[in-house]
Amino acid sequence: MARISNLETRGYEWHDDFRNALSMGSILAVPIFVGSLVMAEEIIVTAFSGQYAGAGAFLVGLALYRLLVTQTSARGAVLGGLDRPDIGFWISLAELLINVALGLGLWYVYGPIGIVAATVLTQAFSYTAQTLVVRRLANVETVVTRPFLEQLGAGVAMGVVIWLAKRLYGLGEWYTVVALIGLGGVVYFVVLLAVSSYLRETVRGILEDFAATYV
């Protein structure tokens, strides 16, 4: 937000910064969401014992909510940077009203999982509203960046590997669950590095800066 405000005040282009935020903001949220889709139940049982079996849907919903947040926050930062916190306030107020109404209604129909669903739907509303407002205010056409799509692709590859490993070897003790999570993380980042020139350039830049500073 501060960077966009500074560049906008000086009359400079800031759209690249916005695209960078969208490109990197979800790099961890994507594998967490995909991993929860594939093995949420095993993670819940391993972490909290078998009495919580059946609660995997809560983890999936919260992971999806977090993924939406990572893509929404950059849009909120744009509104603040363009000195339009008033719009952000009205969107937040609408979120509150929608979340309360949906939360009560879905809780009555579906129980506790309805509250999670209401939270996800409210965040989806915020994402959509802020996307439309930013596009109108700043003539920004970017909605989904290529690096984010590459992250989704790497996440799908990770999910397939985890699913196959579950089918072939099963999940028994806690250490097999931990090992499978680790395997998924390795697959995700290896695939992402292979397909994403953006990530390779980012990593190279970080290493060069580190070497210039400390080596």
Side-chain angles (χ1 to χ4, degrees):
M1 180 177 67
R3 182 170 176 80
I4 290 175
S5 178
N6 178 47
L7 293 173
E8 177 71 14
T9 300
R10 296 162 62 190
Y12 294 157
E13 175 66 54
W14 51 263
H15 289 187
D16 285 345
D17 295 273
F18 177 56
R19 283 189 287 269
N20 288 337
L22 294 180
S23 297
M24 295 301 292
S26 303
I27 193 168
L28 296 179
V30 168
I32 290 173
F33 171 62
V34 175
S36 70
L37 284 176
V38 180
M39 52 185 303
E41 201 65 35
E42 291 83 359
I43 293 173
I44 291 293
V45 170
T46 300
F48 301 106
S49 79
Q51 67 185 32
Y52 290 93
F58 290 89
L59 180 60
V60 174
L62 293 174
L64 176 56
Y65 163 77
R66 188 60 199 166
L67 178 59
L68 288 170
V69 167
T70 60
Q71 286 293 300
T72 305
S73 58
R75 291 158 166 83
V78 170
L79 294 180
L82 296 180
D83 197 25
R84 294 307 305 269
D86 55 319
I87 298 178
F89 167 77
W90 288 114
I91 292 177
S92 296
L93 180 60
E95 283 184 66
L96 175 62
L97 297 175
I98 292 171
N99 201 10
V100 170
L102 282 177
L104 290 174
L106 293 179
W107 175 79
Y108 180 78
V109 177
Y110 299 106
I113 192 63
I115 297 177
V116 176
T119 301
V120 172
L121 291 173
T122 301
Q123 190 59 42
F125 159 79
S126 177
Y127 171 86
T128 303
Q130 293 196 39
T131 297
L132 294 174
V133 170
V134 168
R135 291 184 68 177
R136 174 169 292 187
L137 281 179
N139 194 29
V140 175
E141 296 298 328
T142 302
V143 176
V144 178
T145 63
R146 178 171 178 173
F148 177 61
L149 293 177
E150 292 168 342
Q151 291 160 25
L152 292 177
V156 171
M158 179 196 79
V160 170
V161 170
I162 293 176
W163 182 81
L164 289 174
K166 281 177 57 178
R167 293 290 299 271
L168 290 174
Y169 303 106
L171 291 177
E173 302 298 328
W174 64 268
Y175 52 82
T176 60
V177 176
V178 174
L180 203 52
I181 292 174
L183 173 64
V186 170
V187 170
Y188 173 75
F189 283 105
V190 167
V191 172
L192 188 56
L193 280 171
V195 302
S196 177
S197 59
Y198 179 89
L199 181 61
R200 292 196 299 272
E201 292 171 4
T202 300
V203 172
R204 186 181 301 113
I206 292 173
L207 293 177
E208 289 174 354
D209 289 343
F210 179 84
T213 304
Y214 298 103
V215 177

